[in-house]
Amino acid sequence: AQTVTQSQPEMSVQEAETVTLSCTYDTSESDYYLFWYKQPPSRQMILVIRQEAYKQQNATENRFSVNFQKAAKSFSLKISDSQLGDAAMYFCAYRRGGATNKLIFGTGTLLAVQP
Amino acid sequence: KAGVTQTPRYLIKTRGQQVTLSCSPISGHRSVSWYQQTPGQGLQFLFEYFSETQRNKGNFPGRFSGRQFSNSRSEMNVSTLELGDSALYLCASSTTGTENIQYFGAGTRLSVL
């Protein structure tokens, strides 16, 4: 069975600084996708970034980038130039390839941004 | 384009009752998935519907059921509510294809007293 592990329950970063959130996963599949979702206090889950397992290049979306280490099954999220609006719960998620939309989530990391 | 709409936003029920939650996906999306979010268990997959057929199911008791209509709107039903069913229920819709992305609604907060 696939699992996703986030070992940092809480993190804190100063505004304008950089922070990295960790995620590891376990799977025997070769075709899969990895995601980082953000859940602010409003509860709405928002996609931050997505990575296809077959792509070696790390995904980047503006201030957000990932470090995808396939052999180590590691998928960390780096947030550069942190902003107050980045404060939220961040979830790492896994989806295997094929006809399914089932996401397996980690336990989340609560990110606080200090002014 | 309107996002995923879940109704109601808040619900209070008592043990033993049943409840129906509704999810309207983004226009054009044919897949709808449901998740339960609790402080103790985190985010857990309930089930997924595609073109009115259940495509995947999580490890939940038979009291949890769902369905999808021809317009892709989905409902989930929980019968004989238990205190442990108190949770945030999230619905997500997505397009088809292997690189689809799930878009989430704001959720329904269910409290069972």
Side-chain angles (χ1 to χ4, degrees):
Chain A
Q2 297 90 6
T3 59
V4 177
T5 302
Q6 293 180 251
S7 58
Q8 306 153 315
E10 297 182 16
M11 293 281 286
S12 182
V13 64
Q14 292 291 129
E15 202 175 359
E17 297 295 308
T18 296
V19 65
T20 298
L21 309 183
S22 301
C23 172
T24 57
Y25 61 96
D26 189 26
T27 183
S28 57
E29 304 277 347
S30 58
D31 179 21
Y32 56 88
Y33 301 83
L34 297 166
F35 307 84
W36 278 99
Y37 278 91
K38 166 186 176 181
Q39 188 178 39
S42 66
R43 307 178 328 201
Q44 183 122 25
M45 199 81 77
I46 302 164
L47 178 67
V48 175
I49 200 164
R50 179 186 70 172
Q51 176 77 45
E52 295 87 344
Y54 60 85
K55 288 188 178 178
Q56 292 187 343
Q57 185 173 7
N58 290 324
T60 299
E61 287 289 342
N62 301 314
R63 298 182 295 106
F64 299 87
S65 61
V66 298
N67 183 4
F68 175 45
Q69 301 291 324
K70 191 171 182 178
K73 294 180 181 174
S74 170
F75 182 62
S76 60
L77 174 69
K78 185 171 84 171
I79 306 174
S80 304
D81 186 25
S82 296
Q83 301 175 359
L84 295 177
D86 294 333
M89 183 73 89
Y90 286 80
F91 291 96
C92 178
Y94 165 98
R95 177 174 72 82
R96 68 171 175 84
T100 179
N101 281 313
K102 176 183 176 180
L103 290 172
I104 298 172
F105 287 91
T107 51
T109 296
L110 182 61
L111 177 67
V113 180
Q114 308 299 331
Chain B
K1 210 176 210 183
V4 179
T5 304
Q6 290 188 248
T7 56
R9 291 293 305 276
Y10 301 91
L11 208 48
I12 299 175
K13 292 287 187 178
T14 56
R15 278 182 301 173
Q17 288 187 310
Q18 76 164 22
V19 67
T20 299
L21 311 182
S22 179
C23 173
S24 294
I26 293 172
S27 178
H29 287 192
R30 294 166 60 191
S31 171
V32 173
S33 300
W34 289 88
Y35 296 84
Q36 181 196 65
Q37 185 175 22
T38 61
Q41 299 298 317
L43 279 153
Q44 293 187 289
F45 172 78
L46 278 155
F47 28 63
E48 174 194 0
Y49 286 87
F50 177 74
S51 292
E52 302 179 64
T53 300
Q54 188 179 85
R55 187 157 71 171
N56 285 290
K57 190 177 188 304
N59 295 323
F60 279 82
R63 301 184 296 108
F64 291 81
S65 63
R67 60 178 177 169
Q68 186 180 34
F69 301 95
S70 59
N71 61 357
S72 294
R73 188 178 71 86
S74 178
E75 290 181 346
M76 68 161 281
N77 183 276
V78 188
S79 62
T80 319
L81 283 166
E82 300 176 0
L83 295 178
D85 297 334
S86 294
L88 178 66
Y89 289 89
L90 294 169
C91 167
S93 77
S94 65
T95 56
T96 55
T98 57
E99 295 193 1
N100 58 60
I101 294 172
Q102 291 193 66
Y103 296 89
F104 283 82
T108 294
R109 171 76 65 188
L110 172 64
S111 297
V112 182
L113 306 178

